[in-house]
């Protein structure tokens, strides 16, 4: 079970047209796949998100040589060392080691984690609402309509990237165009202060079909989140960029949010991610993972969600949904699961139960190296 070979696959796709959120425009999509192979031929895949040139150099010069010869079963120790150098690489290495261990045991990831509770996981269509054209709002409505017609009944759109007046107009038109059974989340990407966030109160109060308001303010403003939660008739959600369980504790202790949103790629590894999920449940909170920037990391979020006990005793309540990127991005199909009517079936095969799409890897390969 010692690691004999490390393969890296930096992948780059340049968008023909930019799209974005309150943080700015995306002009390309990237991901960084790693493949660890043991002396017995068992392999495992991981995914990392960061600036490709520096990530690639760091992984090639330090992390890959460190991994060669290590026992895959020493997952926690290996992940802790890599985390000291680069947290997001630790998350990817953790994924690959987890798959190797599951394959060695002849188990699926869910079985390795104690068995799945849910065979299907709901997903919501996640949009980047802004374009660099004057008709951005019209095009936003068109892309939402297209995904709703394809079967999604849960969607998330962006606010905070235009004036509040412009965003109000966009969201009002959107809500008036949707059937009441389509539920909507608003994501502000921490764009507002408390006063600006409260300026949404009159519009939000007009519609019943909200999922949540996501990260309207910086997540360290815990007291202001408590005040906002008491003022707005919509659940508050957040936490995608929090790395450690300790960073979630003030939010949970003080009742600052309703829905916790960890991201598997933003933690110190899958053990840390599952700790965040379980901790939130122990505090009685809902968990709806952030998983916009990766196909493999989204799959692990689905696995963790499948193993998570339901938040409610009510029989008609599903497990909380996982984010699903519906924007132009070939990497969302790297480890392909296809939503059917807004749900995905959890894979049962050994390991992750899926193979990567080599056509995408070969077509989008930016550069690569093999370490032995």
């Amino acid at each position: 079970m010692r690691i004999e070979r490390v393969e890296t696959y930096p992948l780059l796709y340049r968008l023909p047209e930019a799209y974005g959120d309150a943080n700015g425009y995306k002009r390309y999509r990237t991901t960084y796949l790693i493949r660890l192979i043991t002396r017995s031929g068992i392999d495992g895949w991981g995914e990392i998100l960061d600036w490709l040139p520096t990530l690639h150099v760091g992984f090639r010069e330090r992390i890959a040589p460190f991994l060669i010869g290590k026992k895959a079963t020493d997952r926690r120790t290996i992940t802790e060392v890599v985390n000291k150098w680069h947290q997001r690489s630790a998350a990817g290495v953790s994924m690959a080691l987890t798959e190797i261990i599951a394959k060695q045991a002849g188990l699926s990831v869910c079985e390795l984690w104690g068995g799945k509770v849910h065979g299907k996981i709901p997903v919501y269509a996640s949009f980047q609402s802004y374009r660099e054209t004057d008709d951005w709002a019209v095009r936003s409505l068109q892309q939402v309509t297209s995904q709703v017609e394809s079967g999604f009944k849960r969607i998330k759109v962006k606010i905070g990237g235009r004036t509040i007046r412009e965003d109000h107009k966009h969201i009002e038109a959107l809500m008036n165009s949707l059937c009441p059974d389509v539920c909507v989340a608003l994501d502000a990407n921490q764009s507002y202060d408390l006063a600006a966030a409260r300026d949404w109160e009159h519009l939000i109060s007009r519609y019943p079909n909200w999922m949540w308001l996501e990260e309207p303010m910086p997540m360290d403003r815990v007291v202001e989140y408590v005040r906002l939660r008491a003022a707005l008739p919509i659940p508050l959600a957040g936490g995608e960029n929090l790395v450690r369980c300790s960073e979630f504790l003030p939010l949970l202790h003080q009742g600052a949010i309703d829905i916790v949103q960890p991201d598997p790629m933003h933690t110190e590894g899958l053990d840390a991610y599952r700790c965040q999920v379980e901790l939130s449940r122990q505090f009685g909170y809902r968990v709806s993972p952030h998983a916009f920037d990766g196909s493999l990391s989204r799959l692990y979020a689905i696995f963790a969600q499948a193993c998570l006990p339901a938040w409610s005793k009510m029989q008609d309540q599903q497990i909380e949904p996982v984010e699903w990127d519906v924007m132009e991005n070939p990497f969302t199909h790297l480890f392909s699961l296809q939503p059917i009517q807004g749900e995905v079936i959890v894979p049962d095969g050994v390991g992750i139960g899926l193979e990567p799409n080599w056509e995408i890897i070969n077509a989008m390969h930016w550069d690569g190296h093999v370490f032995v």
Side-chain angles (χ1 to χ4, degrees):
M1 288 290 286
R2 293 191 181 274
I3 300 168
E4 183 178 65
R5 180 183 176 99
V6 178
E7 298 177 357
T8 61
Y9 299 92
L11 304 180
L12 171 69
Y13 175 69
R14 298 187 186 278
L15 293 168
E17 181 184 17
Y19 54 72
D21 56 22
N23 292 322
Y25 289 101
K26 294 175 174 62
R27 305 188 185 279
Y28 51 83
R29 298 299 297 268
T30 67
T31 194
Y32 193 84
L33 293 182
I34 62 170
R35 184 188 184 201
L36 308 186
I37 306 171
T38 68
R39 292 174 184 173
S40 59
I42 299 174
D43 67 343
W45 289 87
E47 184 175 40
I48 307 166
L49 180 71
D50 212 328
W51 177 242
L52 276 187
T54 54
L55 170 60
H56 192 43
V57 170
F59 206 94
R60 180 182 69 227
E61 295 185 356
R62 189 168 197 179
I63 297 174
F66 165 76
L67 294 173
I68 298 298
K70 298 296 188 298
K71 292 173 61 178
T73 48
D74 292 337
R75 184 186 72 244
R76 189 181 294 272
T77 300
I78 293 171
T79 302
E80 287 176 354
V81 173
V82 174
N83 182 63
K84 294 177 182 178
W85 300 333
H86 188 237
Q87 171 262 308
R88 293 193 173 184
S89 290
V93 169
S94 175
M95 294 178 202
L97 295 175
T98 296
E99 184 177 13
I100 289 173
I101 294 167
K103 286 182 174 178
Q104 173 67 21
L107 301 173
S108 69
V109 169
C110 286
E111 289 171 330
L112 184 70
W113 288 349
K116 63 184 179 183
V117 183
H118 317 279
K120 295 181 180 180
I121 302 298
V123 294
Y124 66 87
S126 186
F127 296 92
Q128 299 279 292
S129 299
Y130 300 117
R131 304 271 181 169
E132 295 177 306
T133 56
D134 293 338
D135 64 344
W136 67 270
V138 173
R139 297 177 66 183
S140 172
L141 267 61
Q142 290 172 344
Q143 65 183 4
V144 169
T145 299
S146 174
Q147 293 299 329
V148 169
E149 290 176 349
S150 75
F152 281 100
K153 295 298 183 183
R154 300 174 181 86
I155 67 168
K156 182 170 80 177
V157 294
K158 297 294 185 174
I159 58 176
R162 293 289 191 275
T163 66
I164 291 181
R165 182 176 179 180
E166 288 177 285
D167 277 341
H168 279 184
K169 184 178 179 180
H170 169 224
I171 298 305
E172 182 177 28
L174 173 69
M175 298 304 292
N176 289 337
S177 71
L178 295 174
C179 295
D181 63 341
V182 177
C183 295
V184 179
L186 304 176
D187 184 0
N189 293 109
Q190 305 188 43
S191 298
Y192 301 137
D193 60 13
L194 179 59
R198 290 202 60 176
D199 203 15
W200 282 86
E201 183 175 358
H202 72 281
L203 190 149
I204 288 172
S205 64
R206 290 169 48 191
Y207 303 95
N209 49 323
W210 301 111
M211 289 198 296
W212 60 72
L213 172 61
E214 184 171 328
E215 299 198 344
M217 304 176 295
M219 292 304 296
D220 58 354
R221 298 185 181 181
V222 178
V223 174
E224 293 182 13
Y225 265 93
V226 174
R227 294 170 61 188
L228 184 63
R229 188 184 182 203
L232 293 185
I234 186 174
L236 299 184
E240 68 189 67
N241 291 308
L242 302 184
V243 176
R244 301 171 185 84
C245 281
S246 59
E247 295 174 288
F248 285 91
L249 284 174
L251 298 165
L252 301 176
H253 272 301
Q254 298 187 45
I257 57 177
D258 300 275
I259 300 165
V260 182
Q261 296 181 304
D263 187 311
M265 283 203 291
H266 297 173
T267 65
E268 297 173 318
L270 288 179
D271 292 314
Y273 174 75
R274 293 189 67 217
C275 176
Q276 293 173 1
V277 170
E278 296 288 347
L279 176 70
S280 302
R281 210 37 130 236
Q282 289 296 321
F283 272 83
Y285 284 85
R286 303 184 195 186
V287 181
S288 188
H290 179 272
F292 186 76
D293 287 307
S295 178
L296 182 59
S297 60
R298 180 181 63 203
L299 180 59
Y300 274 102
I302 288 170
F303 287 146
Q305 209 74 348
C307 297
L308 187 65
W311 67 271
S312 170
K313 295 179 181 179
M314 294 179 285
Q315 295 299 315
D316 62 338
Q317 293 292 329
Q318 291 179 301
I319 191 71
E320 300 94 301
V322 173
E323 185 171 26
W324 194 276
D325 176 6
V326 295
M327 302 301 294
E328 181 176 0
N329 177 16
F331 305 134
T332 195
H333 305 294
L334 273 171
F335 296 85
S336 187
L337 284 177
Q338 292 302 318
I340 301 174
Q341 296 300 308
E343 292 183 326
V344 294
I345 298 174
V346 182
D348 281 324
V350 173
I352 63 174
L354 298 172
E355 291 295 326
N357 187 321
W358 283 100
E359 289 186 8
I360 296 176
I361 292 174
N362 292 331
M364 309 296 173
H365 201 187
W366 175 64
D367 191 10
H369 294 268
V370 174
F371 303 89
V372 295

